[in-house]
Amino acid sequence: MAYSNKLKEVFTTELKNIEDAGLFKKERFIHAPQDADIEVEFPVGAKLEKVINMCANNYLGLSSHPDVIKAAHDGLDVRGYGMSSVRFICGTQDIHKELEAKVTKFLGTEDTILFPSCMDANTGVFEAILTKEDVMISDRLVHASIVDGMRLCEAMHDTFKHANMEHLESKLQLHADKRLKVIITDGVFSMDGDTAPLDQIVELAEKYDALVFVDDSHASGFIGKTGRGVHEKYGVMGKIDILTTTFGKALGGASGGCVSGRKEIVEMCRQKARPYLFSNTIAPVVVSGVLKVLDILSETTERRDKLEANAKYWRDGLTEAGFVLKDGDTPIVPVMLFNAKLAQDVSNDLYKEGIYAIGFFFPVVAKGQARIRTQISAAHEIHHLDKALAAFKKVGAKYDILGKTKQEIIDKYGM
Ligand SMILES: *Cc1c(COP(=O)(O)O)cnc(C)c1O
């Protein structure tokens, strides 16, 4: 037998090590469409609970929007279920080109190329455009998919301290002799909910003749006055050379991603990016859904405005209750608990109160930085937020962390 007990043991041992380290990830099952109110099975086998979802990337509440669902149905009827081909053989429909044009217009770029996911966009783009003569200079907190993309690329890699512009500038000076220098950052950092200072980054890029790469997955659709993204917030639309994003979060939440930006760079991706060349693109049903999402968002800013108001209400409520938060003004609001066990205990108690918000701890965030990352949606009504606030206050009081400083929480619970 090829898969002998000895071979099997390699994996069972490894899995046990993960479990022993307290790092075993368990899925929770949602028995409902993605929305503010969901039914959850947790742990597996437990009775279903109706809870308020405070941890989805469904920022604009479009994941189950009736118009989006209808558009997806129509797409299915008119363009079929699957493409059974990669783009350049026979996998490109008119609606794929229509979506690329619409994304370009929405993001204010020159051109766009679709990818099966943003992970694929990030793993494909660097290798497609850079060589050994180039350097990638990335913020130290960029998303894992960017890290993987840089690993696949033979250009030199360097980093700068998170959002630290002096450090970035020193790295740009250090690598002055390179053919191409690319500054690489997330638009919104998903764990902390802070935004990259793109105005300053663009200024440095202009000063040192560098390209700017931004992954706006946690921003497209709702950050900036008309929801175009972090580049709109900082007044640098049209100045981001490479912008990647996902359709799997605010923009309908199904799947798919893109590289948008300079025409020549997008064309290089069409010629060379491996996930584009060797993997099917987005299915017609999803393309139709995303087209509808962009129509909705281009017509009115109602949803992003509601999201902004909700996020402010939530942040103010938690602050008033005396929680320690990460500063920021995005719908990602991390409630800092510092200790990993405390984060898990608080999350479990919140669940008993009908609030679904999971704890994050090492290795997802740094040691001693455990937290409950709450995410606000335009699908939340004030009654959802009030109920969630009441639950947070009740659980916060139980653990005696309300009105306590970071140091006091750490003294009581450890890092
Ligand atoms: C979610 C996320 C991705 C991955 O998006 P997919 O389309 O699901 O692959 C990439 N980058 C960032 C910053 C993300 O938050």
PDB file of all heavy atoms in Angstrom, residues 57 116-120 122 142-146 186-188 190 215-218 244-249 255-257, ligand 1:
ATOM      1  N   ASN A  57     -17.025  40.250   5.440  1.00  0.00           N
ATOM      2  CA  ASN A  57     -16.518  41.304   4.547  1.00  0.00           C
ATOM      3  C   ASN A  57     -17.630  41.839   3.649  1.00  0.00           C
ATOM      4  O   ASN A  57     -17.366  42.433   2.618  1.00  0.00           O
ATOM      5  CB  ASN A  57     -15.407  40.753   3.655  1.00  0.00           C
ATOM      6  CG  ASN A  57     -14.227  40.242   4.446  1.00  0.00           C
ATOM      7  OD1 ASN A  57     -13.793  40.879   5.396  1.00  0.00           O
ATOM      8  ND2 ASN A  57     -13.703  39.089   4.061  1.00  0.00           N
ATOM      9  N   PRO A 116      -9.173  34.984 -11.621  1.00  0.00           N
ATOM     10  CA  PRO A 116     -10.117  34.137 -10.875  1.00  0.00           C
ATOM     11  C   PRO A 116     -10.344  34.636  -9.448  1.00  0.00           C
ATOM     12  O   PRO A 116     -11.396  34.423  -8.870  1.00  0.00           O
ATOM     13  CB  PRO A 116      -9.438  32.769 -10.865  1.00  0.00           C
ATOM     14  CG  PRO A 116      -8.490  32.792 -12.010  1.00  0.00           C
ATOM     15  CD  PRO A 116      -8.050  34.224 -12.168  1.00  0.00           C
ATOM     16  N   SER A 117      -9.345  35.301  -8.875  1.00  0.00           N
ATOM     17  CA  SER A 117      -9.457  35.832  -7.511  1.00  0.00           C
ATOM     18  C   SER A 117      -8.407  36.928  -7.350  1.00  0.00           C
ATOM     19  O   SER A 117      -7.511  37.060  -8.184  1.00  0.00           O
ATOM     20  CB  SER A 117      -9.192  34.726  -6.483  1.00  0.00           C
ATOM     21  OG  SER A 117      -7.823  34.349  -6.547  1.00  0.00           O
ATOM     22  N   CYS A 118      -8.501  37.682  -6.259  1.00  0.00           N
ATOM     23  CA  CYS A 118      -7.456  38.680  -6.011  1.00  0.00           C
ATOM     24  C   CYS A 118      -6.165  37.984  -5.597  1.00  0.00           C
ATOM     25  O   CYS A 118      -5.072  38.463  -5.879  1.00  0.00           O
ATOM     26  CB  CYS A 118      -7.905  39.690  -4.955  1.00  0.00           C
ATOM     27  SG  CYS A 118      -6.735  41.041  -4.761  1.00  0.00           S
ATOM     28  N   MET A 119      -6.300  36.861  -4.930  1.00  0.00           N
ATOM     29  CA  MET A 119      -5.110  36.059  -4.612  1.00  0.00           C
ATOM     30  C   MET A 119      -4.350  35.745  -5.907  1.00  0.00           C
ATOM     31  O   MET A 119      -3.129  35.862  -5.972  1.00  0.00           O
ATOM     32  CB  MET A 119      -5.549  34.762  -3.919  1.00  0.00           C
ATOM     33  CG  MET A 119      -4.461  33.728  -3.768  1.00  0.00           C
ATOM     34  SD  MET A 119      -3.904  33.632  -2.057  1.00  0.00           S
ATOM     35  CE  MET A 119      -2.369  32.740  -2.267  1.00  0.00           C
ATOM     36  N   ASP A 120      -5.079  35.357  -6.936  1.00  0.00           N
ATOM     37  CA  ASP A 120      -4.449  35.067  -8.225  1.00  0.00           C
ATOM     38  C   ASP A 120      -3.869  36.323  -8.868  1.00  0.00           C
ATOM     39  O   ASP A 120      -2.797  36.279  -9.485  1.00  0.00           O
ATOM     40  CB  ASP A 120      -5.449  34.419  -9.184  1.00  0.00           C
ATOM     41  CG  ASP A 120      -5.692  32.954  -8.843  1.00  0.00           C
ATOM     42  OD1 ASP A 120      -4.720  32.267  -8.507  1.00  0.00           O
ATOM     43  OD2 ASP A 120      -6.839  32.518  -8.929  1.00  0.00           O
ATOM     44  N   ASN A 122      -2.665  38.865  -7.290  1.00  0.00           N
ATOM     45  CA  ASN A 122      -1.444  39.194  -6.554  1.00  0.00           C
ATOM     46  C   ASN A 122      -0.319  38.197  -6.802  1.00  0.00           C
ATOM     47  O   ASN A 122       0.857  38.563  -6.772  1.00  0.00           O
ATOM     48  CB  ASN A 122      -1.739  39.276  -5.052  1.00  0.00           C
ATOM     49  CG  ASN A 122      -2.551  40.503  -4.699  1.00  0.00           C
ATOM     50  OD1 ASN A 122      -2.598  41.470  -5.461  1.00  0.00           O
ATOM     51  ND2 ASN A 122      -3.199  40.481  -3.553  1.00  0.00           N
ATOM     52  N   VAL A 142       1.677  43.677   4.604  1.00  0.00           N
ATOM     53  CA  VAL A 142       0.839  43.377   3.432  1.00  0.00           C
ATOM     54  C   VAL A 142       0.226  41.985   3.539  1.00  0.00           C
ATOM     55  O   VAL A 142       0.738  41.097   4.218  1.00  0.00           O
ATOM     56  CB  VAL A 142       1.602  43.497   2.074  1.00  0.00           C
ATOM     57  CG1 VAL A 142       1.959  44.941   1.784  1.00  0.00           C
ATOM     58  CG2 VAL A 142       2.776  42.561   2.015  1.00  0.00           C
ATOM     59  N   HIS A 143      -0.859  41.817   2.807  1.00  0.00           N
ATOM     60  CA  HIS A 143      -1.639  40.573   2.804  1.00  0.00           C
ATOM     61  C   HIS A 143      -0.813  39.371   2.330  1.00  0.00           C
ATOM     62  O   HIS A 143       0.081  39.509   1.487  1.00  0.00           O
ATOM     63  CB  HIS A 143      -2.844  40.767   1.871  1.00  0.00           C
ATOM     64  CG  HIS A 143      -3.865  39.683   1.950  1.00  0.00           C
ATOM     65  ND1 HIS A 143      -3.951  38.676   1.015  1.00  0.00           N
ATOM     66  CD2 HIS A 143      -4.846  39.454   2.862  1.00  0.00           C
ATOM     67  CE1 HIS A 143      -4.962  37.875   1.334  1.00  0.00           C
ATOM     68  NE2 HIS A 143      -5.521  38.330   2.440  1.00  0.00           N
ATOM     69  N   ALA A 144      -1.158  38.204   2.855  1.00  0.00           N
ATOM     70  CA  ALA A 144      -0.439  36.965   2.548  1.00  0.00           C
ATOM     71  C   ALA A 144      -0.343  36.693   1.041  1.00  0.00           C
ATOM     72  O   ALA A 144       0.669  36.167   0.554  1.00  0.00           O
ATOM     73  CB  ALA A 144      -1.130  35.794   3.233  1.00  0.00           C
ATOM     74  N   SER A 145      -1.376  37.057   0.287  1.00  0.00           N
ATOM     75  CA  SER A 145      -1.347  36.779  -1.155  1.00  0.00           C
ATOM     76  C   SER A 145      -0.289  37.628  -1.864  1.00  0.00           C
ATOM     77  O   SER A 145       0.285  37.203  -2.874  1.00  0.00           O
ATOM     78  CB  SER A 145      -2.730  37.030  -1.768  1.00  0.00           C
ATOM     79  OG  SER A 145      -3.169  38.345  -1.504  1.00  0.00           O
ATOM     80  N   ILE A 146      -0.015  38.811  -1.331  1.00  0.00           N
ATOM     81  CA  ILE A 146       1.053  39.648  -1.901  1.00  0.00           C
ATOM     82  C   ILE A 146       2.407  39.029  -1.571  1.00  0.00           C
ATOM     83  O   ILE A 146       3.307  38.976  -2.418  1.00  0.00           O
ATOM     84  CB  ILE A 146       0.961  41.088  -1.343  1.00  0.00           C
ATOM     85  CG1 ILE A 146      -0.356  41.735  -1.777  1.00  0.00           C
ATOM     86  CG2 ILE A 146       2.156  41.925  -1.789  1.00  0.00           C
ATOM     87  CD1 ILE A 146      -0.598  43.120  -1.183  1.00  0.00           C
ATOM     88  N   ASP A 186      -1.067  47.444   1.039  1.00  0.00           N
ATOM     89  CA  ASP A 186      -2.520  47.279   1.076  1.00  0.00           C
ATOM     90  C   ASP A 186      -3.111  48.697   1.139  1.00  0.00           C
ATOM     91  O   ASP A 186      -2.475  49.600   1.684  1.00  0.00           O
ATOM     92  CB  ASP A 186      -2.964  46.530   2.342  1.00  0.00           C
ATOM     93  CG  ASP A 186      -2.593  45.047   2.334  1.00  0.00           C
ATOM     94  OD1 ASP A 186      -1.780  44.640   1.489  1.00  0.00           O
ATOM     95  OD2 ASP A 186      -3.119  44.308   3.185  1.00  0.00           O
ATOM     96  N   GLY A 187      -4.335  48.873   0.652  1.00  0.00           N
ATOM     97  CA  GLY A 187      -5.019  50.157   0.808  1.00  0.00           C
ATOM     98  C   GLY A 187      -5.522  50.284   2.238  1.00  0.00           C
ATOM     99  O   GLY A 187      -5.134  51.183   2.983  1.00  0.00           O
ATOM    100  N   VAL A 188      -6.375  49.332   2.628  1.00  0.00           N
ATOM    101  CA  VAL A 188      -6.796  49.190   4.023  1.00  0.00           C
ATOM    102  C   VAL A 188      -6.143  47.924   4.550  1.00  0.00           C
ATOM    103  O   VAL A 188      -6.174  46.885   3.884  1.00  0.00           O
ATOM    104  CB  VAL A 188      -8.332  49.067   4.133  1.00  0.00           C
ATOM    105  CG1 VAL A 188      -8.749  48.686   5.557  1.00  0.00           C
ATOM    106  CG2 VAL A 188      -9.008  50.374   3.725  1.00  0.00           C
ATOM    107  N   SER A 190      -6.183  44.834   6.743  1.00  0.00           N
ATOM    108  CA  SER A 190      -7.393  44.136   7.189  1.00  0.00           C
ATOM    109  C   SER A 190      -7.418  43.829   8.674  1.00  0.00           C
ATOM    110  O   SER A 190      -8.481  43.713   9.261  1.00  0.00           O
ATOM    111  CB  SER A 190      -7.567  42.851   6.386  1.00  0.00           C
ATOM    112  OG  SER A 190      -6.439  42.022   6.553  1.00  0.00           O
ATOM    113  N   ASP A 215      -3.227  47.101  -3.027  1.00  0.00           N
ATOM    114  CA  ASP A 215      -4.290  46.090  -2.978  1.00  0.00           C
ATOM    115  C   ASP A 215      -5.443  46.690  -2.179  1.00  0.00           C
ATOM    116  O   ASP A 215      -5.336  46.876  -0.970  1.00  0.00           O
ATOM    117  CB  ASP A 215      -3.759  44.818  -2.315  1.00  0.00           C
ATOM    118  CG  ASP A 215      -4.835  43.724  -2.190  1.00  0.00           C
ATOM    119  OD1 ASP A 215      -6.036  44.049  -2.294  1.00  0.00           O
ATOM    120  OD2 ASP A 215      -4.459  42.559  -1.969  1.00  0.00           O
ATOM    121  N   ASP A 216      -6.524  46.989  -2.890  1.00  0.00           N
ATOM    122  CA  ASP A 216      -7.646  47.699  -2.259  1.00  0.00           C
ATOM    123  C   ASP A 216      -8.826  46.772  -1.954  1.00  0.00           C
ATOM    124  O   ASP A 216      -9.981  47.205  -1.943  1.00  0.00           O
ATOM    125  CB  ASP A 216      -8.093  48.861  -3.160  1.00  0.00           C
ATOM    126  CG  ASP A 216      -8.054  50.201  -2.426  1.00  0.00           C
ATOM    127  OD1 ASP A 216      -7.660  50.219  -1.243  1.00  0.00           O
ATOM    128  OD2 ASP A 216      -8.418  51.228  -3.030  1.00  0.00           O
ATOM    129  N   SER A 217      -8.525  45.527  -1.662  1.00  0.00           N
ATOM    130  CA  SER A 217      -9.592  44.542  -1.420  1.00  0.00           C
ATOM    131  C   SER A 217     -10.551  44.946  -0.306  1.00  0.00           C
ATOM    132  O   SER A 217     -11.746  44.691  -0.386  1.00  0.00           O
ATOM    133  CB  SER A 217      -8.980  43.176  -1.071  1.00  0.00           C
ATOM    134  OG  SER A 217      -8.398  42.603  -2.212  1.00  0.00           O
ATOM    135  N   HIS A 218     -10.014  45.584   0.751  1.00  0.00           N
ATOM    136  CA  HIS A 218     -10.877  46.004   1.870  1.00  0.00           C
ATOM    137  C   HIS A 218     -11.299  47.462   1.718  1.00  0.00           C
ATOM    138  O   HIS A 218     -11.517  48.144   2.724  1.00  0.00           O
ATOM    139  CB  HIS A 218     -10.164  45.796   3.209  1.00  0.00           C
ATOM    140  CG  HIS A 218     -10.169  44.380   3.678  1.00  0.00           C
ATOM    141  ND1 HIS A 218     -11.235  43.800   4.320  1.00  0.00           N
ATOM    142  CD2 HIS A 218      -9.236  43.405   3.550  1.00  0.00           C
ATOM    143  CE1 HIS A 218     -10.959  42.542   4.608  1.00  0.00           C
ATOM    144  NE2 HIS A 218      -9.753  42.268   4.150  1.00  0.00           N
ATOM    145  N   THR A 244      -4.852  46.249  -7.315  1.00  0.00           N
ATOM    146  CA  THR A 244      -5.547  44.965  -7.349  1.00  0.00           C
ATOM    147  C   THR A 244      -6.711  45.029  -6.368  1.00  0.00           C
ATOM    148  O   THR A 244      -6.683  45.780  -5.395  1.00  0.00           O
ATOM    149  CB  THR A 244      -4.630  43.775  -6.976  1.00  0.00           C
ATOM    150  OG1 THR A 244      -4.204  43.898  -5.623  1.00  0.00           O
ATOM    151  CG2 THR A 244      -3.428  43.707  -7.885  1.00  0.00           C
ATOM    152  N   THR A 245      -7.750  44.258  -6.664  1.00  0.00           N
ATOM    153  CA  THR A 245      -8.869  44.198  -5.732  1.00  0.00           C
ATOM    154  C   THR A 245      -9.640  42.907  -5.939  1.00  0.00           C
ATOM    155  O   THR A 245      -9.376  42.146  -6.874  1.00  0.00           O
ATOM    156  CB  THR A 245      -9.777  45.432  -5.858  1.00  0.00           C
ATOM    157  OG1 THR A 245     -10.645  45.481  -4.711  1.00  0.00           O
ATOM    158  CG2 THR A 245     -10.638  45.407  -7.113  1.00  0.00           C
ATOM    159  N   THR A 246     -10.594  42.675  -5.032  1.00  0.00           N
ATOM    160  CA  THR A 246     -11.393  41.455  -5.087  1.00  0.00           C
ATOM    161  C   THR A 246     -12.866  41.789  -5.303  1.00  0.00           C
ATOM    162  O   THR A 246     -13.321  42.857  -4.897  1.00  0.00           O
ATOM    163  CB  THR A 246     -11.245  40.641  -3.778  1.00  0.00           C
ATOM    164  OG1 THR A 246     -12.005  39.438  -3.887  1.00  0.00           O
ATOM    165  CG2 THR A 246     -11.745  41.414  -2.564  1.00  0.00           C
ATOM    166  N   PHE A 247     -13.590  40.881  -5.920  1.00  0.00           N
ATOM    167  CA  PHE A 247     -15.052  40.990  -5.989  1.00  0.00           C
ATOM    168  C   PHE A 247     -15.674  40.122  -4.879  1.00  0.00           C
ATOM    169  O   PHE A 247     -16.880  39.968  -4.821  1.00  0.00           O
ATOM    170  CB  PHE A 247     -15.567  40.548  -7.361  1.00  0.00           C
ATOM    171  CG  PHE A 247     -14.880  41.247  -8.499  1.00  0.00           C
ATOM    172  CD1 PHE A 247     -14.338  40.542  -9.563  1.00  0.00           C
ATOM    173  CD2 PHE A 247     -14.748  42.632  -8.495  1.00  0.00           C
ATOM    174  CE1 PHE A 247     -13.679  41.188 -10.603  1.00  0.00           C
ATOM    175  CE2 PHE A 247     -14.097  43.303  -9.536  1.00  0.00           C
ATOM    176  CZ  PHE A 247     -13.555  42.571 -10.587  1.00  0.00           C
ATOM    177  N   GLY A 248     -14.824  39.561  -4.060  1.00  0.00           N
ATOM    178  CA  GLY A 248     -15.265  38.640  -3.021  1.00  0.00           C
ATOM    179  C   GLY A 248     -15.554  39.299  -1.680  1.00  0.00           C
ATOM    180  O   GLY A 248     -15.775  38.600  -0.689  1.00  0.00           O
ATOM    181  N   LYS A 249     -15.502  40.618  -1.638  1.00  0.00           N
ATOM    182  CA  LYS A 249     -15.801  41.292  -0.369  1.00  0.00           C
ATOM    183  C   LYS A 249     -16.987  42.246  -0.582  1.00  0.00           C
ATOM    184  O   LYS A 249     -18.111  41.781  -0.725  1.00  0.00           O
ATOM    185  CB  LYS A 249     -14.541  41.976   0.161  1.00  0.00           C
ATOM    186  CG  LYS A 249     -13.498  40.937   0.567  1.00  0.00           C
ATOM    187  CD  LYS A 249     -12.311  41.489   1.316  1.00  0.00           C
ATOM    188  CE  LYS A 249     -11.501  40.375   1.941  1.00  0.00           C
ATOM    189  NZ  LYS A 249     -10.284  40.008   1.193  1.00  0.00           N
ATOM    190  N   SER A 255     -16.813  35.966  -5.881  1.00  0.00           N
ATOM    191  CA  SER A 255     -15.416  35.631  -6.120  1.00  0.00           C
ATOM    192  C   SER A 255     -14.907  36.431  -7.296  1.00  0.00           C
ATOM    193  O   SER A 255     -15.677  37.089  -7.990  1.00  0.00           O
ATOM    194  CB  SER A 255     -15.252  34.138  -6.427  1.00  0.00           C
ATOM    195  OG  SER A 255     -15.829  33.846  -7.685  1.00  0.00           O
ATOM    196  N   GLY A 256     -13.612  36.344  -7.526  1.00  0.00           N
ATOM    197  CA  GLY A 256     -13.006  37.042  -8.649  1.00  0.00           C
ATOM    198  C   GLY A 256     -12.209  38.245  -8.182  1.00  0.00           C
ATOM    199  O   GLY A 256     -12.427  38.769  -7.089  1.00  0.00           O
ATOM    200  N   GLY A 257     -11.253  38.633  -9.021  1.00  0.00           N
ATOM    201  CA  GLY A 257     -10.424  39.789  -8.690  1.00  0.00           C
ATOM    202  C   GLY A 257      -9.867  40.381  -9.962  1.00  0.00           C
ATOM    203  O   GLY A 257     -10.208  39.945 -11.072  1.00  0.00           O
TER     204      GLY A 257
HETATM  205  C1  LIG B   1      -9.312  39.000   0.800  1.00  0.00           C
HETATM  206  C2  LIG B   1      -8.068  39.557   0.264  1.00  0.00           C
HETATM  207  C3  LIG B   1      -7.463  39.001  -0.858  1.00  0.00           C
HETATM  208  C4  LIG B   1      -7.963  37.735  -1.507  1.00  0.00           C
HETATM  209  O1  LIG B   1      -9.088  37.971  -2.269  1.00  0.00           O
HETATM  210  P1  LIG B   1      -9.739  36.747  -3.065  1.00  0.00           P
HETATM  211  O2  LIG B   1     -10.403  37.375  -4.226  1.00  0.00           O
HETATM  212  O3  LIG B   1     -10.692  36.092  -2.122  1.00  0.00           O
HETATM  213  O4  LIG B   1      -8.628  35.846  -3.465  1.00  0.00           O
HETATM  214  C5  LIG B   1      -6.328  39.617  -1.346  1.00  0.00           C
HETATM  215  N1  LIG B   1      -5.819  40.726  -0.776  1.00  0.00           N
HETATM  216  C6  LIG B   1      -6.369  41.275   0.320  1.00  0.00           C
HETATM  217  C7  LIG B   1      -5.761  42.491   0.931  1.00  0.00           C
HETATM  218  C8  LIG B   1      -7.505  40.697   0.877  1.00  0.00           C
HETATM  219  O5  LIG B   1      -8.031  41.228   1.981  1.00  0.00           O
END
